[in-house]
Amino acid sequence: MIKVSVMYPNTPGARFDHDYYRDTHMPMVKARLGTACRYYTVDKGLAGDAPGEAPTYVGMCHIFCDSVEAFQAAFGPHAEEIMADIANYTDLAPVLQISEVVVERG
């Protein structure tokens, strides 16, 4: 399994609408990816590593798929629509990383 992490750096003065991201953008992404997306999570940054320090990322999501190829095949046809929706909730540029999930425990 792989995890696609999309992270938004916490930049002073930047705009990020957590409600839109959680309630509109990510459900749309899930709908477009279909069964290629096993599940996803949405995070809201709260704090950095020192007391009172701001979080490194204001928000992020993690999309879990069976493989890089499955993600790319599902995302590709909808990339333009998904990317265009970013302006509806932020003026930040996302940072993306695809990782192999080595351990998953509940």
Side-chain angles (χ1 to χ4, degrees), residues 24-89:
T24 303
H25 181 75
M26 287 309 300
M28 181 266 293
V29 170
K30 169 64 173 147
R32 299 305 180 270
L33 295 180
T35 59
C37 174
R38 295 174 89 187
Y39 64 95
Y40 69 89
T41 63
V42 174
D43 299 357
K44 181 178 182 179
L46 296 178
D49 55 340
E53 187 173 293
T56 303
Y57 298 101
V58 67
M60 63 180 78
C61 75
H62 306 285
I63 301 167
F64 295 83
C65 302
D66 288 326
S67 67
V68 173
E69 295 78 16
F71 169 74
Q72 290 173 338
F75 183 82
H78 307 287
E80 188 175 322
E81 176 188 11
I82 292 169
M83 298 303 286
D85 192 51
I86 292 173
N88 290 321
Y89 62 88

